[in-house]
């Protein structure tokens, strides 16, 4: 109690004291304010994901927050005035960092800052490939996968196996195709193998949830001699243009030759396996690896010819086809239909197998029967009486004389051995057994065995018919039905929504159509109403985009018909453009060889069909091995017509100009599809076999051509042939002036020799594609065509040959140098200027001295002794002309002393000839040599731009060559 009382007393005393005034005040300690303490950590986030970053702050009172960004990719911050900031991570193509700053301020204004680093992690889509690189396994080989511009690498182990992870940004184009290469080391250095796979997206789907793609899921992860051969043939088939889409890859895979595929693959194996012990099988000189060789058709063809008859080649092929790491398993015995696929130039048969052991061989209008059995992956078709027969002719030697005789060939047995599965079908080795008979008894009958490798589709590849849902015409194959003097190997259908339609090849004859259930797929069924309600069935075998493969069945006149071929929906907005038609069109997509057929379509309307074959196999083409067919081409209503004419010579281009010239052959192309320089056409073919005879039946089929700028041959044509068709093929010219610059204006000219002052002539081109040509008091009119390179072709002029060429080479001010057929003349837009120039030339009056030429690089365009235009390089100084050997003006060829009189006339010591400038413009000068010995004038051109001089020469030579054809 005493303690409590003491405490109370003390409290009362303090209270009393506080109420009294005093000089002494006792203050307790006051707290000191400190800055906020921030706790926040660096963090990471995956691109395009939302993230929130929270800070913990220690302080005695309330605080304010301010988040900001101070480095890295810009982001949109949210809730910047709170303790937790949020944003969406930006899209990145690689890992990035950004830096944020947090400033915290307390109630008394004290602040603290903290930087936060945020790792923005790239979102990757990953896929692992697991396979083997083998002919024989490639040990420690470098593996490289390419997807667009990205590359991923690894190496194989001692057994040739590899595992390679691909990782693409999730924003990358997943439709890009994947290519894998394997480069062998040391003794395997020649092994550069390649495999082309489908798109990254498709491979990812095939790989499934584990994202690991094995050869069980896609056999092409194995990089082999077979995949290398296929990759090279695909590149050749696509004219070495990058294959960019799965659709194109599938389309091209169906178009390469299976026989050539196996030959090239076998050749690669021969080189890799046999060359170390036998130099015969070594790579050709200058070739570094097997992929390089496979890409070169000419060198590969020569190599195959050298080795394919050796035992090593046969052994290598057998070993390859037995290697389960190279050839995908073909285990199946449920094939009911074989759809042959030898390419769009072949007539591909269909073979049907019934459950009762019988079958049908269907080809065009041929319906053959056979018995069949399946054993050890081989289907054997047999009919001793024959299940396919045809007649042909052969050139044979009898008593030292070559005679053409008839042959009857009957196939009585065939063996179809499945050798490899493909992505949509099989590779098959076909062995045919035939009887060859001579009905007229010239030779003894004999038996023949043929072997070939081809691709087949089966009923398992059939898909739903997808082309019916279109308003555009459809180009489809047809089984060569013969109707109204028309052989339908192709058919163009228009399908209306109401189930009606028409066939264009039969004069738009009406049809009805419907989709039917067929092998558990939808197929197109049409009925030809005007032809006894005959029907045609179209089965679709591939779905490769715009170009697809079809099997077609019909039964006309009681005979079942069938064929396999390609078709497409026709894009009617895509048609031939007359300005770009000139060029070379060939069937060759593999490179150059010595067995080729092609068309040369020239701007002047002339067409040359060329056929060559190295029959004596000497690697050269002789005149006898080269055949020229002359004709012409024209474009009407989007149909390109190409003719061949005969008159016993090779210059029968126009029937109307030569009474002995008659139309022998006509082709008409309607464009189906154009992909880069590959064109697919509906081709109509018609022959007239004798002069005065009516044309025979029309034959339609679908064909594929390569549009090229070079002739598809690996050896030059004989000079005698080149003199007739031209040393250069039809090519686009460069640097020509657009005639549109002179529409509606007269271009005046006079005779080229200018010996006397004569009447001016002129050309005038109007904007309605008509022209006037006036010379020697005669006025001709006609039409003209401008091509994409600015060539003009004049047509139907009464005083001109049909198809004369006219082009503008170079212009300056009011004058332009033009070519007309073989002539090169200056043309003037002013009649007075033309007359003045004519007077200058006739009177030998120089228009200028040479002062403006001194010290300049001059490209002189002139003709050489072979009458070809060439460029020479020269410079003037005060008293000497230096002629150089090259365009760099460094090596002196010769030097000429000269003098110039007061008029500008140039003369040379001890030379009676003189020269003078007759025309001076900014772009060119014309200089004339008075050739005293020949009493003539020689016209040359001084140009000051090297490229324009080269264009002048190249264009002039090409145009003159065309005019002389």
């Amino acid at each position: 109690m005493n303690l409590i009382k003491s405490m109370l007393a003390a409290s009362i005393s303090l209270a009393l004291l506080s109420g009294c005034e005093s000089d002494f005040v006792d203050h307790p300690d006051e707290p000191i304010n400190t800055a906020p303490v921030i706790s926040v950590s660096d963090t990471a986030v995956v691109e395009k994901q939302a993230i929130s970053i929270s800070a913990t702050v220690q302080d005695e009172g309330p605080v304010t927050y301010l988040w900001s960004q101070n480095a890295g990719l810009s982001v949109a911050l949210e809730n910047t005035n709170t303790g937790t900031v949020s944003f969406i991570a930006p899209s990145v193509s690689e890992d990035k960092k950004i830096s944020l700053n947090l400033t915290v301020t307390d109630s008394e204004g004290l602040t603290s800052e903290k930087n936060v680093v945020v790792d923005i992690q790239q979102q990757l889509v990953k896929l692992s490939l697991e396979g083997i690189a083998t002919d024989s396994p490639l040990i420690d080989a470098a593996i490289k996968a390419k997807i667009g511009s990205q590359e991923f690498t690894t190496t194989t182990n001692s057994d040739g196996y590899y595992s390679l992870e691909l990782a693409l940004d999730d924003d990358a184009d997943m439709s890009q195709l994947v290519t894998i290469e394997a480069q062998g080391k040391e003794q395997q250095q020649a092994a550069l193998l390649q495999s082309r796979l489908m798109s990254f997206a498709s491979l990812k789907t095939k790989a499934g949830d584990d994202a690991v793609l094995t050869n069980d899921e896609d056999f092409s992860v194995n990089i082999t001699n077979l995949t290398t051969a296929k990759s090279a043939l695909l590149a050749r088939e696509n004219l070495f243009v990058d294959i960019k889409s799965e659709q194109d890859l599938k389309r091209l895979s169906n178009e390469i030759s299976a026989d050539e595929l196996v030959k090239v693959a076998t050749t690669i194996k021969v080189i890799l396996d046999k060359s170390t012990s036998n130099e015969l099988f070594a790579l050709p000189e200058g070739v570094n690896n097997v992929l390089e060789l496979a890409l070169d058709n000419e060198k590969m063809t020569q190599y195959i010819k050298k080795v394919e008859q050796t035992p090593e080649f046969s052994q290598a092929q057998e070993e390859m086809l037995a290697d389960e790491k190279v050839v995908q398993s073909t285990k199946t015995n449920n094939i009911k239909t074989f759809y042959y696929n030898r390419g769009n130039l072949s007539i591909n048969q269909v073979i049907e197998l019934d459950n009762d052991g019988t079958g049908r061989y269907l080809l065009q209008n041929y319906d053959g029967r056979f018995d069949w059995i399946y054993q050890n992956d081989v289907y054997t078709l047999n009919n001793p009486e024959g299940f396919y027969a045809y007649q042909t002719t052969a050139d044979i030697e009898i008593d030292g004389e070559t005679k053409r005789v008839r042959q009857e060939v009957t196939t009585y047995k065939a063996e179809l051995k499945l050798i490899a599965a493909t992505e949509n079908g099989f590779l098959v080795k076909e062995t045919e057994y035939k009887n060859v008979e001579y009905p007229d008894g010239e030779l003894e009958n004999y038996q023949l065995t043929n072997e070939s490798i081809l691709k087949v589709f089966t009923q398992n590849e059939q898909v739903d018919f997808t082309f019916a849902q279109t308003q555009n015409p459809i180009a489809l194959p047809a089984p060569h039905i013969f109707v109204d003097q028309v052989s339908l190997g192709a058919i163009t259908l228009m399908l209306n929504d109401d189930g009606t339609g028409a066939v264009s090849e039969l004069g738009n004859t009406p049809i009805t159509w419907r989709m039917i259930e067929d092998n558990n797929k939808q197929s197109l069924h049409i009925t030809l109403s005007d032809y006894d309600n005959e029907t045609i069935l179209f089965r679709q075998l591939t779905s490769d985009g715009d170009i697809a493969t079809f099997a077609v069945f019909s039964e006309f006149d009681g005979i079942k018909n069938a064929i396999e071929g390609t078709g497409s929906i026709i894009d009617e907005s895509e048609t031939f453009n007359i300005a770009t038609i000139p060029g070379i069109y060939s069937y060759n997509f593999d490179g150059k060889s010595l067995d080729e057929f092609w068309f040369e379509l020239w701007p002047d309307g002339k067409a040359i069909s060329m056929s060559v074959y190295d029959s004596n196999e000497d690697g050269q083409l002789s005149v006898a091995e080269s055949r020229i067919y002359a004709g012409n081409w024209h474009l009407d209503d989007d149909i390109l017509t190409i003719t061949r004419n005969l008159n016993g010579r090779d210059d029968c281009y126009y029937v109307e100009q030569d009474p002995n010239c008659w139309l022998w052959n006509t082709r008409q192309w309607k464009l189906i599809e154009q992909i880069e320089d590959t064109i697919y056409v509906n081709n109509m073919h018609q022959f007239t076999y004798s002069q005065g005879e009516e044309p025979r039946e029309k034959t339609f089929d679908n064909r594929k051509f390569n549009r090229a700028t070079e002739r598809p041959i690996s050896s030059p044509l004989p000079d005698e042939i080149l003199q007739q068709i031209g040393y250069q093929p039809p090519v686009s010219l460069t640097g020509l002036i657009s005639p549109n610059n002179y529409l509606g204006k007269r271009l005046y000219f006079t005779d080229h020799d200018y010996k006397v002052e004569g009447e001016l002539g002129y050309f005038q081109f109007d904007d309605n594609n008509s022209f006037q040509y006036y010379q020697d008091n005669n006025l001709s009119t006609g039409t003209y065509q401008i091509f994409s390179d600015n060539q003009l072709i004049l047509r139907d002029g009464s005083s001109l040959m049909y198809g004369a060429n006219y082009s503008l080479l170079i212009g300056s001010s009011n004058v332009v140098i033009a070519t007309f057929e073989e002539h090169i003349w200056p043309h003037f837009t002013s009649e007075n200027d033309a007359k003045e120039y004519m007077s200058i030339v006739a009177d030998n009056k120089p228009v200028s001295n040479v002062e403006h030429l001194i010290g300049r690089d001059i490209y002189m365009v002139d003709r050489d002794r072979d009458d070809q235009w060439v460029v020479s390089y020269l410079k003037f100084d005060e008293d000497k002309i230096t002629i150089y050997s090259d365009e760099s003006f460094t090596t002196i060829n010769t030097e000429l002393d000269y003098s110039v009189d007061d008029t500008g006339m140039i003369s040379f010591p001890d030379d009676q000839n003189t020269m003078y400038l007759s025309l001076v413009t900014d772009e060119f000068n014309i200089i004339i040599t008075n050739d005293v010995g020949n009493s003539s004038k020689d016209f040359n051109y001084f140009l000051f731009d090297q490229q324009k001089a080269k264009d002048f020469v190249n264009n002039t030579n090409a145009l003159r060559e065309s005019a002389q054809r």
Side-chain angles (χ1 to χ4, degrees):
M1 294 295 288
N2 292 334
L3 179 60
I4 295 175
K5 289 180 180 180
S6 297
M7 292 178 65
L8 288 172
S11 299
I12 293 169
S13 299
L14 288 171
L16 290 173
L17 287 171
S18 65
C20 299
E21 294 183 0
S22 174
D23 292 333
F24 175 78
V25 178
D26 187 11
H27 293 289
D29 292 339
E30 296 180 0
I32 299 174
N33 187 33
T34 59
V37 177
I38 304 171
S39 296
V40 63
S41 299
D42 293 344
T43 188
V45 63
V46 176
E47 61 171 317
K48 295 176 287 191
Q49 301 297 311
I51 184 174
S52 296
I53 302 173
S54 296
T56 301
V57 175
Q58 294 181 352
D59 197 81
E60 298 83 357
V63 296
T64 60
Y65 299 84
L66 180 61
W67 293 87
S68 62
Q69 183 178 357
N70 56 12
L73 296 172
S74 178
V75 297
L77 301 178
E78 297 180 358
N79 306 316
T80 54
N81 296 320
T82 72
T84 301
V85 70
S86 301
F87 62 91
I88 303 297
S91 176
V92 295
S93 57
E94 60 182 351
D95 289 353
K96 297 284 187 179
K97 295 181 184 294
I98 67 171
S99 179
L100 304 182
N101 176 266
L102 172 60
T103 301
V104 179
T105 305
D106 69 11
S107 59
E108 296 185 17
L110 288 180
T111 63
S112 294
E113 293 188 15
K114 186 78 170 181
N115 282 337
V116 181
V117 175
V118 184
D119 286 325
I120 309 297
Q121 298 175 345
Q122 181 186 13
Q123 178 68 50
L124 296 174
V125 181
K126 296 183 178 180
L127 170 68
S128 291
L129 308 179
E130 292 186 355
I132 187 171
T134 184
D135 160 57
S136 299
L138 299 189
I139 300 169
D140 298 330
I143 301 295
K144 178 170 62 179
K146 298 179 183 178
I147 309 173
S149 60
Q150 290 187 259
E151 294 185 354
F152 305 88
T153 60
T154 188
T155 56
T156 63
N157 63 19
S158 59
D159 296 320
Y161 287 94
Y162 73 91
S163 178
L164 176 61
E165 184 179 73
L166 313 180
L168 291 189
D169 186 274
D170 66 336
D171 289 329
D173 181 3
M174 303 292 173
S175 68
Q176 294 179 102
L177 303 181
V178 178
T179 301
I180 325 174
E181 287 185 355
Q183 175 62 70
K185 294 176 61 177
E186 299 174 354
Q187 291 87 354
Q188 295 179 316
Q189 190 69 33
L192 177 56
L193 306 182
Q194 189 176 82
S195 182
R196 294 178 186 262
L197 286 71
M198 303 304 285
S199 70
F200 183 90
S202 293
L203 300 179
K204 188 79 167 62
T205 300
K206 284 186 176 183
D209 295 338
D210 65 355
V212 177
L213 187 69
T214 65
N215 58 17
D216 291 333
E217 295 161 322
D218 191 320
F219 200 72
S220 57
V221 296
N222 285 359
I223 317 166
T224 70
N225 49 342
L226 190 61
T227 64
T228 305
K230 180 179 179 181
S231 184
L233 294 180
L234 288 170
R236 289 198 228 160
E237 189 76 17
N238 207 44
L239 307 173
F240 297 98
V241 176
D242 286 342
I243 303 172
K244 299 182 178 66
S245 72
E246 277 192 4
Q247 290 183 351
D248 285 343
L249 185 61
K250 292 177 182 178
R251 170 180 59 84
L252 293 165
S253 296
N254 291 331
E255 292 175 350
I256 63 175
S257 163
D259 193 57
E260 186 173 14
L261 171 65
V262 173
K263 276 187 181 181
V264 172
T266 302
T267 301
I268 292 172
K269 184 172 180 63
V270 166
I271 293 169
L272 298 181
D273 290 1
K274 315 294 183 182
S275 60
T276 54
S277 59
N278 189 335
E279 290 187 0
L280 172 68
F281 304 116
L283 280 168
E285 186 176 351
V287 178
N288 297 308
N289 55 65
V290 291
L291 177 60
E292 182 182 333
L293 178 62
L295 288 167
D296 190 321
N297 177 58
E298 182 181 354
K299 290 181 179 178
M300 177 57 83
T301 300
Q302 292 171 352
Y303 186 95
I304 290 175
K305 283 183 178 180
K306 181 177 73 171
V307 303
E308 68 176 330
Q309 300 303 321
T310 64
E312 288 87 347
F313 191 89
S314 299
Q315 179 187 6
Q317 187 170 110
E318 290 178 7
E319 292 172 354
M320 178 184 72
L321 297 178
D323 189 342
E324 293 184 352
K325 297 180 181 66
V326 175
V327 173
Q328 190 170 359
S329 173
T330 63
K331 299 300 183 183
T332 184
N333 61 354
N334 64 342
I335 296 177
K336 298 303 178 186
T337 310
F338 286 96
Y339 303 103
Y340 280 43
N341 181 251
R342 287 193 174 99
N344 71 338
L345 283 181
S346 299
I347 300 174
N348 296 304
Q349 62 263 49
V350 176
I351 292 176
E352 295 183 330
L353 307 179
D354 295 331
N355 291 331
D356 63 0
T358 64
R360 308 177 79 160
Y361 184 99
L362 302 172
L363 180 61
Q364 299 188 92
N365 60 352
Y366 198 91
D367 184 354
R369 307 302 176 98
F370 53 78
D371 297 323
W372 68 274
I373 60 172
Y374 173 76
Q375 192 172 23
N376 299 327
D377 283 344
V378 177
Y379 289 82
T380 301
L381 322 180
N382 190 54
N383 181 345
E385 302 299 321
F387 54 81
Y388 179 57
Y390 60 92
Q391 292 187 346
T392 185
T393 60
D395 291 330
I396 62 174
E397 188 170 310
I398 302 176
D399 298 330
E401 182 180 353
T402 299
K403 293 185 178 180
R404 178 160 293 185
V405 300
R406 291 191 301 145
Q407 288 181 332
E408 293 180 355
V409 183
T410 303
T411 303
Y412 63 90
K413 181 181 176 180
E415 294 171 346
L416 308 179
K417 178 177 175 58
L418 307 181
I419 60 174
T422 67
E423 61 276 5
N424 58 351
F426 295 94
L427 295 183
V428 171
K429 182 176 182 179
E430 179 190 55
T431 305
E432 290 187 317
Y433 301 85
K434 303 178 180 183
N435 288 322
V436 180
E437 299 179 353
Y438 293 88
D440 299 324
E442 293 90 351
L443 292 176
E444 293 292 328
N445 301 336
Y446 66 96
Q447 291 187 325
L448 176 68
T449 302
N450 283 341
E451 286 188 353
S452 63
I453 293 175
L454 62 139
K455 180 174 180 178
V456 299
F457 299 102
T458 73
Q459 77 279 359
N460 298 321
E461 282 68 61
Q462 185 178 341
V463 297
D464 288 328
F465 190 95
T466 59
F467 284 11
Q469 307 303 318
T470 179
Q471 299 302 310
N472 286 6
I474 308 171
L476 294 169
H480 287 269
I481 309 160
F482 190 71
V483 180
D484 287 349
Q485 297 299 305
V486 174
S487 178
L488 289 178
I491 193 168
T492 305
L493 301 179
M494 175 60 76
L495 305 180
N496 303 321
D497 291 339
D498 62 359
T500 64
V503 177
S504 65
E505 287 82 0
L506 298 177
N508 290 321
T509 188
I511 63 168
T512 58
W513 69 273
R514 58 193 175 96
M515 302 300 297
I516 65 169
E517 188 76 13
D518 173 45
N519 290 339
N520 297 317
K521 302 294 181 183
Q522 291 290 302
S523 295
L524 175 67
H525 183 277
I526 70 168
T527 302
L528 280 71
S529 308
D530 291 349
Y531 295 93
D532 298 327
N533 292 322
E534 299 280 8
T535 61
I536 305 177
L537 177 69
F538 299 89
R539 291 176 180 166
Q540 189 168 338
L541 302 178
T542 65
S543 53
D544 305 330
D546 296 330
I547 302 293
T549 305
F550 298 86
V552 189
F553 296 81
S554 66
E555 191 165 341
F556 270 59
D557 299 326
I559 299 176
K560 191 170 183 179
N561 307 268
I563 200 171
E564 181 264 22
T566 59
S568 175
I569 296 173
I570 298 175
D571 183 356
E572 293 187 292
S573 66
E574 190 174 78
T575 58
F576 283 112
N577 180 352
I578 194 169
T580 58
I581 284 175
I584 289 178
Y585 297 81
S586 77
Y587 296 118
N588 187 315
F589 286 81
D590 288 343
K592 298 181 177 183
S593 74
L594 294 178
D595 180 10
E596 297 295 340
F597 178 86
W598 72 93
F599 301 95
E600 299 189 7
L601 306 186
W602 293 81
D604 58 7
K606 293 174 182 174
I608 296 172
S609 305
M610 281 295 306
S611 176
V612 299
Y613 178 60
D614 182 21
S615 56
N616 61 8
E617 297 186 350
D618 66 350
Q620 304 292 324
L621 293 172
S622 66
V623 173
E625 294 170 331
S626 309
R627 185 72 178 94
I628 303 171
Y629 303 93
N632 58 76
W633 67 268
H634 58 274
L635 184 67
D636 294 306
D637 297 328
D638 298 331
I639 301 293
L640 176 60
T641 298
I642 304 170
T643 68
R644 293 191 219 165
N645 307 320
L646 293 181
N647 67 347
R649 303 193 309 274
D650 295 322
D651 61 351
C652 182
Y653 289 103
Y654 300 106
V655 171
E656 59 270 23
Q657 293 182 359
D658 184 345
N660 296 315
C661 186
W662 54 279
L663 178 63
W664 174 51
N665 173 270
T666 301
R667 296 173 187 264
Q668 290 185 335
W669 293 352
K670 182 173 178 58
L671 186 61
I672 295 175
E673 186 77 25
Q674 181 164 348
I675 304 172
E676 302 290 346
D677 284 327
T678 298
I679 65 168
Y680 295 84
V681 300
N682 174 273
N683 173 70
M684 188 284 293
H685 209 177
Q686 188 174 37
F687 279 91
T688 304
Y689 288 103
S690 301
Q691 187 171 10
E693 179 185 279
E694 288 296 316
R696 300 286 182 93
E697 69 274 2
K698 295 180 179 179
T699 299
F700 288 90
D701 52 27
N702 294 331
R703 300 200 177 189
K704 174 185 176 183
F705 290 95
N706 161 30
R707 188 177 185 279
T709 57
E710 295 182 351
R711 291 168 176 143
I713 47 176
S714 57
S715 176
L717 289 166
D719 194 69
E720 183 178 334
I721 299 296
L722 291 173
Q723 288 175 8
Q724 298 175 62
I725 70 171
Y727 288 86
Q728 299 181 36
V731 294
S732 293
L733 306 182
T734 57
L736 294 177
I737 297 173
S738 172
N740 292 325
N741 297 338
Y742 297 94
L743 292 182
K745 300 177 182 178
R746 289 184 176 178
L747 296 174
Y748 294 94
F749 64 89
T750 187
D751 286 340
H752 188 270
D753 56 16
Y754 305 100
K755 288 180 180 176
V756 294
E757 194 169 331
E759 185 181 25
L760 290 177
Y762 65 80
F763 281 96
Q764 179 171 324
F765 301 96
D766 296 318
D767 58 9
N768 62 353
N769 289 102
S770 67
F771 74 88
Q772 300 176 45
Y773 168 54
Y774 178 81
Q775 188 177 33
D776 298 331
N777 209 31
N778 290 316
L779 179 65
S780 302
T781 61
T783 61
Y784 67 89
Q785 171 66 50
I786 301 178
F787 286 85
S788 58
D789 57 2
N790 288 322
Q791 291 187 65
L792 271 83
I793 298 299
L794 311 183
R795 308 184 191 279
D796 302 323
S798 59
S799 65
L800 302 173
M801 289 187 66
Y802 181 91
N805 64 47
Y806 181 95
S807 296
L808 306 179
L809 296 170
I810 188 171
S812 183
S813 184
N814 68 330
V815 60
V816 61
I817 305 301
T819 65
F820 173 50
E821 291 293 81
E822 299 181 47
H823 305 293
I824 298 179
W825 298 335
H827 288 47
F828 299 84
T829 56
S830 163
E831 184 176 6
N832 287 335
D833 288 347
K835 288 181 177 179
E836 181 180 353
Y837 181 75
M838 181 173 58
S839 174
I840 287 168
V841 174
D843 295 341
N844 286 330
K845 296 186 300 186
V847 297
S848 172
N849 57 30
V850 297
E851 289 182 0
H852 69 284
L853 299 176
I854 293 176
R856 298 183 71 176
D857 292 347
I858 299 172
Y859 303 91
M860 184 178 77
V861 177
D862 187 15
R863 282 180 289 189
D864 64 13
R865 292 182 178 180
D866 295 325
D867 213 26
Q868 291 290 302
W869 288 84
V870 295
V871 180
S872 299
Y873 313 98
L874 55 91
K875 284 185 179 181
F876 279 74
D877 63 18
E878 296 292 344
D879 55 7
K880 181 173 57 180
I881 302 173
T882 303
I883 302 174
Y884 295 87
S885 300
D886 62 335
E887 60 193 38
S888 65
F889 295 87
T890 55
T891 303
I892 296 175
N893 183 296
T894 188
E895 294 178 332
L896 300 174
D897 295 328
Y898 78 97
S899 60
V900 184
D901 66 17
D902 293 340
T903 67
M905 187 68 71
I906 304 168
S907 59
F908 304 92
D910 303 322
D911 193 337
Q912 291 183 314
N913 293 340
T914 57
M915 291 193 332
Y916 65 96
L917 292 169
S918 62
L919 185 68
V920 174
T921 74
D922 293 337
E923 295 289 339
F924 61 88
N925 291 185
I926 299 179
I927 191 162
I928 298 176
T929 301
N930 289 315
D931 187 341
V932 175
N934 294 313
S935 300
S936 64
K937 298 178 184 294
D938 182 33
F939 294 78
N940 300 323
Y941 301 87
F942 286 177
L943 278 66
F944 311 109
D945 182 285
Q946 181 182 359
Q947 187 57 52
K948 289 182 179 179
K950 289 182 176 179
D951 288 343
F952 190 114
V953 165
N954 293 336
N955 293 339
T956 302
N957 286 330
L959 290 166
R960 292 182 70 248
E961 205 169 86
S962 178
Q964 292 170 354
R965 185 168 299 98

